[in-house]
Structures are given as C-alpha cells and as structure tokens.
Amino acid sequence: MTPEEVTYLAVLLCSIPVGFVFKGRGPRWRQWGGAALGAGLTLVTCGPHALHSLLTTLGTWLLLRLLPRRCGGAALAWTFGYLLFFRTAGVWGLPQPPPYANALQLLLTLKMVSLASDVQELREAGQKEVAPEETEELIGCLQHCPGLAEILCYSYCYLGLLTGPFYRFSTHRDWVRGPVPAACWRRVLARVRWAPALGALGEAAGRLFPLGGVREPGFGSRPLAFRLFYMAPVFFAFRMRFYVGWLCAEAACLAAAFGAYPAHARPRPGRGPTHPCPRPRRGEEPPPELWDYETIRTIDPAGTERCRRFREGLRTWNMTVQWWLAHYVHRHTPRWPPALRSAWTMLVSAYWHGLHPGYYLSFLSVPLWLAAEAAAEAALGGRLGPRGWALAGGPHWFLKMRAFDYLCMGFVLLEAGATLRYWASVYFCLHLLPLLILILAALAGPGPGGGRKEGGRTAAPPAPRRRRRRGGGPPTARKVGTPPGSAAGGRGGLRGGRRGGGFFKGGGRSDPPPQTAPRPPKTAPKLPEMASTPPSQSLTP
C-alpha cells in the first residue's frame, strides 16, 4: 500500500466510531461539528491547498446569488473550469496540490454542480419560500436556496469528504435535522465484513503482478497468452482497493445514520428518496431494520463481479457518481444518437477524473462496447430461447470481465504511450472484437424479437407512472407554491427530481389541494412506465 492509501484507510476507520458520537447528538452538533471535523481534516491533509476548495465553494455561492435562473450551467462552467486551473497549477507558478486536495476537489465539484442545478430547477418551478416550521416537516426535497453557512457545512462535512460517496444537499440537510435511527453495529459490521479479505487479496495480486511489469522493456517479448492474462490481476488489484475504500466509507455513513430513510421511501444511490413519504416524528421512528441506506451505497461488489452485461457492470460501480453523471450530464445532452450521448458522458467523466490521456483512451472506448453489446442482443433476440440465453451467459460474462480488464489498463497506466504499447502488444484485440460484433450484427439483422429475451419474453422498458391527484383524479399540473413532493406537485414530485429534487411530501401540515371536479379525458390510454434511472451511465472509480 502506498502512503496515500494508508492515510485514506486510517481516516475512514477513524470515521466509523466518530459517526456513533454524532448520531447521538442534536442537529447543531451534526451540522457544525461534522463541518468542523471535515475542515480540520482538510487542513491536516491538504494544508494551504485547502484554499482551492474554499474558492470553489465561495464562487458557487456567488453564482447562486447573482445568476439565480442560470446558476446550474454557470456552476458547471465555474467548477469544471477551476478543475483545469487546479490541475495546471505548475503552469501558473503555483505548487502542485497533493492527492488529498485532488480527491477533495473532485467530490466538491460534484456537490456544487448538484446544488446549483437543484436550486435552478427549484426556481424554474416557481417554488415559493416556505416557513421554517413548514420546512421542518419536509424531507428529501430542496425548499429554498441555502445560505453561505449551510453550503460550507455541506461542502466540508467529514462524511465522504475525500473518498465519497457523493450525496445531495437535501441528504445532508435531512441528516442534520433528523430524526435518525438508533445505533446498529450489526449494519456497520455487515458492510465491512469482507473488506479485510478483499484488501488482502488485492495486495497479494498487486505484489505478484505489479503494474510496473507492463512497462518493462522485455514485456512485449513474453508469450501472447501471458500478455493477455496480465491485465486480469492488474484490474483485480485495482478494484479490490476501491472495494475496501468504498465499503469503509459506507460504514462510516452507516455509523452516523447518514443517508438513512424509511424503506418505503425507496431511496436510490446518490439520488435519495424516490417515493413520497412524510418525515418521521420524534418518538415515532421506524425500527432500525426498516431504515434504508441505499442513498449512500457506492459499490455492489457481488453485482460487479457476477453481472453478465457490460452495462450492468457500469451501473454497479461507483453508483452515486454514476447517478450524478446520468442526472446532470447525460440527461441534459442534446437529442443525439445513443452512442454519441454515451461518448459525451464518457468525455465529461474522463475530464472530471483528470488530464491524463489514459483516462480518455479508456472512457471513450466504453461506447464501442455498449454499442456492440446492444447490437448483439438485438441480433440474437428471438433466435435464442431461454436455454440459449442461459448457455450464452457464461461467455457474455467472460467478455464483460475481459473488456473491463482491457480498458482498465489506460486508467492505471495514465500515459498515452504506455497504454497504446500495451494494447498493441495484444494487437488491440478488444477494440477489434466489438467492431467485429457490430459488423456481424449488422449483417445478421435484428432477430424476430428485436431485442434481448429474458425468460422467453422480450424484455421491455418499465413504464412511467401517471401523475394523479390525491383525490384520484387525472394527472394535473402543479400549482405555483406547491411543494414538488406533494400530491399536487406535478412533474417535481413523482418524475424523480426534475424540480429541485422534490420527492417527499409534507408530514401533515401542508394544506390539501382543492377538490375540484376534473374534466374527464377523452381517452385514457395506459402509458408505459418510465425507469427511474437513465439507461446509460459511465464507469467512474
């Protein structure tokens, strides 16, 4: 392990017992104490380079005040532009920031863009300010533009400060205001029970097959089978390190009850609640086993290792950042073809990670595999029965894992020359293979079913829910001033965050919508149900 990895691990392990302390304290302790601890950690690890994060936060706060209707795009330009300045500090005669400052800046960029976009959508929806006593009854949605003190506490909260997970401002606010479930060591231990074994396996793989072996002059003269095999243990060691870090980061959040919502709120990684739910009152909280922590779930090791499809592998890796990319980048791209939209999302992800050419070589190869997988499933749809798909699962999983092994080499080697030399040593085989799949799928044409079959039936996308009023009438438009998560909240409520993250309704204090007689629709066709998560997300460690 490198000294930086030891520091990250020590910070995460110390955060777990600290979380139990903050869980038992009041809102002010959680807000100001969590921010003070995070600010101290920032100063210790980053030193004077912590000024970069402070400038980023203050700049975003000014944009919220000066450009209220355009703060989302302005914050995206500001934070991503500052990333370029931050990474080229040596060009401007400034000292190069340490790795800890880079990690802090990456996560802070996600937080500031998320906050500004949610504030902009709130203002576009015409949301009015609500009284403080009414705000106390609402969870999971943004009710007003936060002040500078709230933004600073959100930015420097010690949870997820250097390693993630990413979370929205509303998630932090709900943790501060509570209530929070009772302490439960079992959840924490269950989340990290495999971390020691995964760390030991990753360390062993890293020592037996060091990354430096690829850079040795004689590596290209080794047998082709060895060169092809070498990328597998390299990627294995890479993902084991991330598994350990992310599992410990999730355990720290569990210890503090951060990101805890009632299970019937159906929270999702990064996004938070997706189903209307009142705030639990003091003394009426659900039992600990009925709280859900999916909001802060970053990794699903079992899903990543066992899933068959390339796209599913992407979705189970760094899940909170995946949601950020899907919601704030992919959803706002022009109506391009799917391959171009995926390429644009991957380009943004590569830039967010850094300026090393290896990032761009790896990420911009992902759309090729996504297109090849979709084309193969469309061509084989209807031609393979349930037994055929079951038999094809093994080869499909093998190709998925080898594709990730191959693309990971650019991510770990970083330099364009080293990455291209390794890919050339294996004859760019896993670039040529998806191209061959695309050609064969085009020649074969779509199968009778036109898509992938599951259980003998063509898999169909879920259908969007119809927005209905509380009284059972037809879908209606939301009135100005109605909280986005209320029953009359229209698009901001059940559509899942298009209006400032309004997913929750009030706990009984908000007035019910007027019960006017609705005009019956001419026809009442059944609408297909929309998935709550956009279909394409990116690989983001």
Side-chain angles (χ1 to χ4, degrees), residues 23 35-36 40 69 74 109 130 152 165 187 195 276 288 307 338 344 363-364 368 404 414 423 461 469 476 505 518 531:
K23 180 192 291 189
R69 298 285 180 178
T109 297
V130 294
L152 287 172
R187 280 183 180 264
C307 68
W344 170 250
F363 280 109
L364 293 180
L368 179 61
F404 280 124
L414 299 179
W423 285 349
R469 298 195 311 172
T476 58
K505 62 183 178 183

Side-chain angles (χ1 to χ4, degrees), residues 382-462:
R383 294 188 171 97
L384 293 179
R387 183 180 297 273
W389 279 111
L391 293 176
H396 195 173
W397 172 85
F398 181 81
L399 282 180
K400 181 264 298 186
M401 293 303 297
R402 301 295 74 77
F404 280 124
D405 294 343
Y406 181 82
L407 298 180
C408 174
M409 297 306 293
F411 204 93
V412 296
L413 290 173
L414 299 179
E415 301 92 355
T419 303
L420 293 175
R421 277 193 301 272
Y422 176 77
W423 285 349
S425 71
V426 294
Y427 305 107
F428 294 95
C429 59
L430 291 179
H431 277 103
L432 297 177
L433 180 59
L435 290 175
L436 179 61
I437 293 174
L438 287 170
I439 294 172
L440 294 177
L443 293 176
R452 179 170 175 257
K453 298 239 175 177
E454 294 182 358
R457 295 182 300 173
T458 303

Side-chain angles (χ1 to χ4, degrees), residues 155-287:
S155 301
Y156 288 103
C157 179
Y158 79 100
L159 292 166
L161 186 68
L162 300 178
T163 58
F166 158 77
Y167 48 84
R168 305 170 82 179
F169 177 82
S170 58
T171 302
H172 177 263
R173 187 202 61 180
D174 291 339
W175 175 67
V176 167
R177 294 181 176 178
V180 295
C184 185
W185 272 101
R186 292 184 178 181
R187 280 183 180 264
V188 177
L189 295 177
R191 191 60 61 96
V192 297
R193 66 184 185 275
W194 293 108
L198 296 175
L201 291 173
E203 186 68 17
R207 291 181 180 275
L208 293 174
F209 301 94
L211 180 63
V214 179
R215 295 189 172 94
E216 294 178 356
F219 183 81
S221 61
R222 299 255 189 166
L224 176 61
F226 179 81
R227 300 198 301 268
L228 283 170
F229 166 77
Y230 205 89
M231 61 185 180
V234 168
F235 180 50
F236 179 83
F238 172 83
R239 65 182 186 272
M240 291 303 114
R241 291 196 299 271
F242 277 95
Y243 286 166
V244 172
W246 284 333
L247 289 174
C248 291
E250 291 178 21
C253 293
L254 287 171
F258 189 92
Y261 289 99
H264 55 272
R266 301 175 189 172
R268 294 293 180 267
R271 173 176 170 176
T274 62
H275 192 71
C277 174
R279 175 185 294 277
R281 298 182 181 274
R282 300 281 181 183
E284 301 178 0
E285 300 92 341

